[in-house]
Amino acid sequence: MILTEKETLALKELQQQEKVCMEHYTLYANTAKDCGLRDLFSQIAQDEQEHYQMLGEVLKGKIPSFSHAASKADAYHPKAAYDPTSSQTDKQHDALLCADSIGNEKLVSGDYNTNLFQFASNDVRKLLNHIQTEEQEHAEMIYKYKQINNMA
Ligand SMILES: [Fe+2]
Ligand SMILES: [Fe+2]
């Protein structure tokens, strides 16, 4: 597959964004107070690394295969880590990491939505659509975590 200059540029920008996402979640996995949230952020960091690698394949003219597995968000059932006796400072800290991450996922998801239409290849559009769905699932998982922990 031969990419146009415009397509190459768009892919490189998306890939750069995935690198930042990867670093964001790695940092947050090391910063979160609750270990359940640490695990969630580590898991998402791995997804972002996979996105980075898949975009790298496309830049080489290949279409990486991806699984059509069931929604990760549906399978995610977090347990409550915070209750009224917990440290409220820790809870506020983790709530902020969650809110910040959800905001970021919204932006990234929007970028995939915008860029998707620039690609001539149906296969590339399908892949970008798959990645976009995973970004939405990331936000959904973090939202579930917030809800179970009564984080506003
Ligand atoms: Fe991603
Ligand atoms: Fe994401």
Side-chain angles (χ1 to χ4, degrees):
M1 177 182 58
I2 309 287
L3 297 163
T4 66
E5 212 171 303
K6 201 176 159 196
E7 288 172 331
T8 303
L9 194 70
L11 284 169
K12 281 185 178 166
E13 275 177 22
L14 289 169
Q15 202 192 25
Q16 179 56 33
Q17 198 172 42
E18 288 296 347
K19 188 168 178 271
V20 175
C21 288
M22 213 164 80
E23 288 165 357
H24 167 111
Y25 284 113
T26 304
L27 178 73
Y28 279 20
N30 290 326
T31 320
K33 305 289 182 191
D34 166 40
C35 63
L37 186 57
R38 284 173 175 241
D39 289 346
L40 175 62
F41 285 152
S42 303
Q43 192 191 324
I44 298 177
Q46 280 177 25
D47 281 352
E48 309 298 14
Q49 189 177 3
E50 205 178 289
H51 295 166
Y52 179 88
Q53 285 163 349
M54 288 196 287
L55 294 175
E57 291 290 302
V58 181
L59 277 164
K60 287 184 210 155
K62 295 175 204 156
I63 301 290
S65 60
F66 57 88
S67 77
H68 298 267
S71 159
K72 287 175 191 175
D74 284 351
Y76 179 61
H77 303 290
K79 289 195 177 70
Y82 289 105
D83 62 39
T85 65
S86 314
S87 156
Q88 294 308 296
T89 315
D90 284 0
K91 182 177 170 178
Q92 274 170 14
H93 172 93
D94 281 359
L96 181 66
L97 300 189
C98 289
D100 188 40
S101 300
I102 290 173
N104 195 50
E105 291 293 350
K106 278 184 191 166
L107 290 175
V108 174
S109 171
D111 276 347
Y112 276 103
N113 199 35
T114 309
N115 278 288
L116 204 136
F117 295 100
Q118 296 188 34
F119 290 87
S121 158
N122 187 30
D123 286 336
V124 175
R125 288 199 306 274
K126 274 187 197 154
L127 175 72
L128 297 183
N129 184 260
H130 163 76
I131 297 178
Q132 188 189 357
T133 301
E134 289 207 336
E135 308 303 7
Q136 286 163 9
E137 285 174 2
H138 293 160
E140 202 181 323
M141 285 191 275
I142 301 166
Y143 181 72
K144 275 188 173 181
Y145 178 89
K146 279 185 73 182
Q147 250 190 341
I148 200 91
N149 284 293
N150 287 311
M151 290 169 167

